[in-house]
């Protein structure tokens, strides 16, 4: 990924990894679109425990920032290396942590889908995440991109790996509910 | 020049702090001058972030933008990130490598030492125009800071009068920096958190050992840190720096259960993590501490929670906003497994940290609720009133009073008979 305002004389490299979603079977595209729609709705409706069930038994979830990614730095904001950790995160939000009381609203852009390793599909999509406080004041909380590895079996898609790369590295207030 | 400030301190031991000090624009303006640009050493960055000649990074002292560079001879420099000509930001990226630094507006050019070395059309064009012959490039250069590299931590000051760095840090501060930086570090990355609150609420938060196990319930619920562990607070002789610390495995579950019994909203043994890797502590410091959080006045925190290590820099962004800039690090000789462990434990700290996210909310709800207050004050009496002293326990707010005493001294607003 090139940094913004790349030095003069440098040109963006040609399309890195093949063409967009054209060769992807219709049922796969439909299943992934359904998955992303459910992902957004379950988070926005505060059904976090059901959101966890969109992940495969063997899964990981990360929130990182573009600033770190572009410098090749591995630091994370959130890293659940397996489904138990994902459940622990949710349980901690529910019962342990204090955070700004708000509603979430995710808007996820059209995904680009490509075949990935070991039968998984590589999915990329932009997201916007707005937060609204309990008196109805909304703010843009985060924009960025999802980079997911998705398994599709019998028309149902599950997340093997989900990485949210936040352009919004300067987190307003705090980050509690998942991106 | 801000006008002289008058504060009606209700008490001379800072056990009352007027809320207006978190909201007053003139207080903020004076703080930038007398504290951040005053006789203090500010944390700038880590030496490891500018490893090669030509490397630069932007940072902040108070709300002043600053560039840190490593010159060709390996020396570190820092200067105001503001063009000598029209005041534009000279460096716009957060970091990079360059042989010289050029402002985009009229291409005024600086060397890595921060000296103005070139002005386009300085001699005019075909004998016409240009700068006056006596224009002194060097004298016009951006304001330079004095920089010291102490064990890989870069500190800078705008003040010609500040005491030497090691004296400023004191035995306490030098010891703590040496502890964290006892071998070469590797930066694992950054996090940023923008909080709608006055920067001093965070300076207080870092000195508030009372809140740690109450607000950050994760600490207690999962036994990362409890007030019943052996630990305490230490301050330097001037009470401007402080350290909250605790020793691993020095209380029992029974002691903790008894101590927290009946405390509203805090319960032990209520929940268990399905995956406890987050709580694992691989001993790596000879002193046995699993929690150490030394705060260096005015803008720095070093923090260890088990095996996660970081620096934090407070970057004020106006009277009611500041950024917490966190640099997470490990050591160059960490195994791949240790790096993975540190990154997993990074879940504990930062804007989404299990034991840190709450601070953003706690500060914002103070800022919101105290905005209209012109006469009321915050109460700081936990741990006692009067003299400022170290304590072998953590149910205390004394280091917050220590912060205010040094703040008042620098601001020139001490109450009559003030304690120091």
């Amino acid at each position: 990924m090139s940094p913004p305002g790349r030095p003069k004389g440098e040109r963006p490299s040609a399309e890195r990894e093949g063409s967009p979603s054209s060769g992807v079977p219709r049922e796969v595209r439909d299943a992934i679109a359904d998955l992303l729609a459910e992902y957004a709705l379950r988070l926005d409706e505060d059904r976090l425990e059901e959101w966890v069930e969109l992940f495969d038994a063997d899964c990981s979830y990360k929130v990182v920032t573009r600033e770190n990614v572009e410098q090749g730095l591995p630091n994370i904001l959130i890293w659940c290396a397996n489904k138990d950790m994902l459940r622990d995160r949710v349980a901690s939000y529910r019962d342990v942590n204090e955070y700004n009381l708000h509603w979430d609203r995710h808007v996820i852009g059209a995904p680009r889908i490509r075949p990935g390793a070991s039968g998984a599909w590589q999915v990329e999509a932009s997201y916007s995440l707005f937060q609204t406080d309990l008196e109805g004041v909304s703010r843009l909380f985060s924009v960025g991109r999802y980079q997911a590895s998705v398994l599709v079996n019998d028309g149902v898609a599950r997340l093997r790996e989900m990485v949210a790369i936040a352009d919004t590295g300067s987190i307003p207030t705090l980050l509690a509910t998942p991106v | 020049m801000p006008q002289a400030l008058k504060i009606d301190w209700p008490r001379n031991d800072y056990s009352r702090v007027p809320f207006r000090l978190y909201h007053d624009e003139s207080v903020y303006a004076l703080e930038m001058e007398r504290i951040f640009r005053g006789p203090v050493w500010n944390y700038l960055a880590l030496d490891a972030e500018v490893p090669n000649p030509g490397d630069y990074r932007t940072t902040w002292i108070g709300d002043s933008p600053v560039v840190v560079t490593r010159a060709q001879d390996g020396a570190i420099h820092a200067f105001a990130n503001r063009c000598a000509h029209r005041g534009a930001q000279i460096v716009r990226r957060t970091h990079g490598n360059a042989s010289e630094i050029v402002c985009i507006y009229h291409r005024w050019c600086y060397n890595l030492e921060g000296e103005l070395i070139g002005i386009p059309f300085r001699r005019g064009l075909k004998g016409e125009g240009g700068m006056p012959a006596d224009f002194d490039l060097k004298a016009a250069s951006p304001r330079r800071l004095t920089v010291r590299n102490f064990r890989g931590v870069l500190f800078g000051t705008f003040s010609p009068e500040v005491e030497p760095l090691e004296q400023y840090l004191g035995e306490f501060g030098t010891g703590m920096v040496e502890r964290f930086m006892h071998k070469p570090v590797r930066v694992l990355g950054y996090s940023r958190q923008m909080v709608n609150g006055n920067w001093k609420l965070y300076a207080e938060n870092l000195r508030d050992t009372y809140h740690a196990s109450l607000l950050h319930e994760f600490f207690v619920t999962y036994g990362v840190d409890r007030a019943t562990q052996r630990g305490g607070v230490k301050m330097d002789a001037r009470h401007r720096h402080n350290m909250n610390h605790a020793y691993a495995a020095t209380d029992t579950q029974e002691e903790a259960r008894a101590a927290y019994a009946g405390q509203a909203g805090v319960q032990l043994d209520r929940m268990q993590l399905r995956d406890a890797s987050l709580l694992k502590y691989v001993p790596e410091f000879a002193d046995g501490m699993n929690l150490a959080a030394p705060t260096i006045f005015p803008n720095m925190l070093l923090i260890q929670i088990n095996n996660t290590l970081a620096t934090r820099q407070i970057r004020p962004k106006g009277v009611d906003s500041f950024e917490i800039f966190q640099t997470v690090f490990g050591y160059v000789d960490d195994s791949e497994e240790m790096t993975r462990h540190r990154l997993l434990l990074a879940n504990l700290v930062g804007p989404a940290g299990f034991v840190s996210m709450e601070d953003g909310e706690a500060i914002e709800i103070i800022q919101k609720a105290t905005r209209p207050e012109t006469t009321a004050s915050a109460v700081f009496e936990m741990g006692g009133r009067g003299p400022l002293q170290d304590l072998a326990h953590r149910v205390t707010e004394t280091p917050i009073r220590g912060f205010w005493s040094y703040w008042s001294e620098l601001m020139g607003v001490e109450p009559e008979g003030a304690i120091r």
Side-chain angles (χ1 to χ4, degrees):
Chain A
M1 174 129 330
S2 310
R6 67 181 65 78
K8 285 185 177 170
E10 280 182 31
R11 294 287 172 265
S13 55
E15 176 60 36
R16 285 165 301 158
E17 298 154 65
S19 59
S21 312
S22 46
V24 178
R26 180 64 183 261
E27 69 202 48
V28 168
R29 263 189 288 165
D30 286 350
I32 289 172
D34 286 350
L35 173 72
L36 293 176
E38 280 296 321
Y39 186 99
L41 278 177
R42 291 184 191 187
L43 288 177
D44 295 347
E45 291 171 358
D46 193 30
R47 293 153 55 203
L48 303 182
E49 292 76 6
E50 293 171 63
W51 167 76
V52 170
E53 295 314 316
L54 297 173
F55 287 79
D56 190 52
D58 176 15
C59 65
S60 74
Y61 171 70
K62 256 187 202 182
V63 181
V64 296
T65 69
R66 189 166 176 173
E67 180 181 14
N68 283 320
V69 169
E70 291 193 356
Q71 291 180 66
L73 295 170
N75 190 41
I76 53 97
L77 298 183
I78 296 176
W79 180 19
C80 303
N82 56 49
K83 202 160 180 172
D84 277 343
M85 289 190 192
L86 210 50
R87 292 195 176 105
D88 286 337
R89 261 280 167 187
V90 170
S92 191
Y93 297 139
R94 288 286 188 236
D95 290 313
V96 181
N97 291 113
E98 302 288 350
Y99 47 90
N100 57 320
L101 303 174
H102 68 274
W103 295 304
D104 281 320
R105 183 64 59 196
H106 286 76
V107 181
I108 301 178
R112 184 177 73 167
I113 305 167
R114 293 191 311 260
S118 55
W121 298 92
Q122 296 305 313
V123 177
E124 287 192 68
S126 296
Y127 73 84
S128 312
L129 171 50
F130 300 87
Q131 281 190 353
T132 302
D133 72 18
L134 301 188
E135 292 184 281
V137 178
S138 301
R139 65 174 173 182
L140 174 62
F141 179 73
S142 180
V143 291
R145 165 171 80 98
Y146 293 127
Q147 215 172 42
S149 174
V150 177
L151 298 168
V152 180
N153 288 311
D154 301 326
V156 177
R158 287 281 173 270
L159 288 161
R160 167 58 63 86
E161 196 184 309
M162 182 62 148
V163 184
I165 303 171
D167 297 345
T168 313
S170 180
I171 306 298
T173 312
L174 61 88
L175 169 60
T177 45
V179 176
Chain B
M1 183 73 186
Q3 291 178 338
L5 189 66
K6 176 84 180 74
I7 298 170
D8 290 322
W9 293 101
R11 297 182 184 177
N12 69 358
D13 64 356
Y14 309 101
S15 57
R16 293 290 182 278
V17 172
F19 288 129
R20 81 168 178 93
L21 300 182
Y22 308 114
H23 299 279
D24 190 325
E25 296 276 359
S26 65
V27 170
Y28 178 81
L30 204 61
E31 285 170 343
M32 295 304 117
E33 177 194 322
R34 293 195 181 165
I35 294 188
F36 292 98
R37 295 195 298 272
V40 302
W41 287 96
N42 290 275
Y43 168 64
L44 295 174
L46 295 175
D47 184 61
E49 294 177 89
V50 283
N52 303 308
D55 283 351
Y56 63 81
R57 275 202 181 258
T58 53
T59 185
W60 298 83
I61 286 189
D63 58 10
S64 301
V66 167
V67 191
V68 177
T69 63
R70 185 179 295 277
Q72 294 306 329
D73 64 359
I76 300 280
H77 299 270
F79 49 93
N81 188 7
R82 196 181 299 122
C83 185
H85 180 209
R86 296 283 300 282
Q89 223 182 332
I90 313 168
V91 175
R92 296 174 300 149
R93 295 168 191 278
T94 55
H95 66 283
N97 184 281
S99 52
E100 56 190 25
I101 294 171
V102 181
C103 174
I104 60 164
Y105 200 173
H106 304 85
R107 309 287 173 186
W108 284 33
C109 180
Y110 301 85
N111 61 20
L112 292 165
E113 286 79 7
E115 294 163 341
L116 179 60
I117 54 169
I119 296 178
F121 303 122
R122 185 179 173 200
R123 303 286 176 227
L125 204 54
K126 295 179 182 166
E128 292 182 298
M131 296 291 276
D134 64 353
F135 183 78
D136 183 345
L137 267 64
K138 195 164 179 185
S141 298
R143 196 168 168 192
R144 283 159 54 88
L145 287 84
T146 305
V147 182
R148 292 284 176 270
N149 179 352
F150 184 76
R151 302 284 191 270
V153 179
L154 305 177
F155 291 92
T157 184
F158 279 118
S159 168
E161 282 119 39
V162 68
E163 63 207 283
L165 175 65
E166 295 197 21
Q167 188 184 320
Y168 180 80
L169 294 174
E171 201 182 315
F172 159 86
T174 54
M176 287 319 298
V177 173
E178 279 166 348
R179 175 189 190 271
F180 278 80
M181 310 298 287
H182 67 283
K183 53 186 177 177
V185 302
R186 176 190 163 202
V187 171
L188 298 176
Y190 304 98
S191 70
R192 297 170 187 263
Q193 190 172 356
M194 192 67 80
V195 180
N196 295 313
N198 183 267
W199 72 273
K200 295 188 295 301
L201 291 169
Y202 194 58
E204 290 175 345
N205 178 279
L206 299 175
R207 290 163 171 82
D208 172 4
T209 53
Y210 174 38
H211 89 286
S213 73
L214 297 169
L215 174 66
H216 305 304
E217 202 192 341
F218 189 96
F219 269 133
V220 175
T221 303
Y222 300 117
V224 184
D225 179 45
R226 311 184 280 220
T228 44
Q229 278 171 255
R230 194 159 62 80
V233 290
K234 289 182 185 146
M235 289 173 279
D236 70 319
R238 308 293 294 273
H239 308 110
R240 54 193 171 188
H241 319 310
N242 87 304
M243 185 176 73
N244 171 20
H245 64 285
Y247 294 88
T250 49
D251 66 347
T252 66
Q253 192 69 5
E254 288 65 40
E255 283 172 314
R257 198 176 293 129
Y260 284 94
Q263 312 280 1
V266 182
Q267 287 175 279
L268 260 68
D269 305 330
R270 194 164 51 84
M271 298 170 59
Q272 295 254 300
L273 288 176
R274 287 182 177 81
D275 187 319
S277 340
L278 282 183
L279 309 180
K280 191 176 141 203
Y281 173 51
V282 181
E284 62 174 329
F285 293 101
D287 55 25
M289 286 191 269
N290 74 319
L291 185 146
T295 306
I296 307 293
F297 190 94
N299 73 340
M300 183 193 197
L301 173 77
L302 270 162
I303 186 160
Q304 171 209 355
I305 298 175
N306 290 345
N307 302 105
T308 183
L309 305 172
T311 64
R312 288 184 204 157
Q313 186 189 39
I314 307 177
R315 298 177 169 182
K317 301 288 177 191
V319 71
D320 55 6
S321 181
F322 68 91
E323 183 183 72
I324 304 168
F325 184 80
Q326 178 171 258
T327 305
V328 177
F329 65 88
Y331 298 105
V332 169
D333 66 359
D334 282 346
S335 66
E336 214 169 291
E337 192 191 346
M338 187 61 172
T339 299
R340 187 181 187 280
H341 178 59
R342 291 194 200 282
L343 289 169
L344 208 51
L345 265 63
N347 277 296
L348 297 172
V349 298
F354 279 123
V355 298
S356 61
M357 70 170 82
E358 286 89 0
D359 292 326
E361 174 68 355
I363 287 168
E364 291 197 356
I365 59 182
I366 292 179
Q367 193 75 14
K368 269 183 211 163
T370 59
R371 187 166 286 126
E373 283 299 338
T374 52
T375 55
S377 293
V379 174
F380 296 107
E381 293 198 40
M382 189 58 71
R385 292 187 288 259
L388 301 164
Q389 53 206 359
D390 289 356
L391 295 160
H393 64 76
R394 291 180 291 161
V395 189
T396 179
E397 293 172 321
T398 305
I400 299 179
R401 296 192 293 117
F403 168 84
W404 281 107
S405 84
Y406 198 63
W407 180 93
S408 299
E409 193 180 324
L410 291 186
M411 293 283 281
V413 295
E414 290 179 285
E416 206 173 308
I419 59 156
R420 281 190 176 178

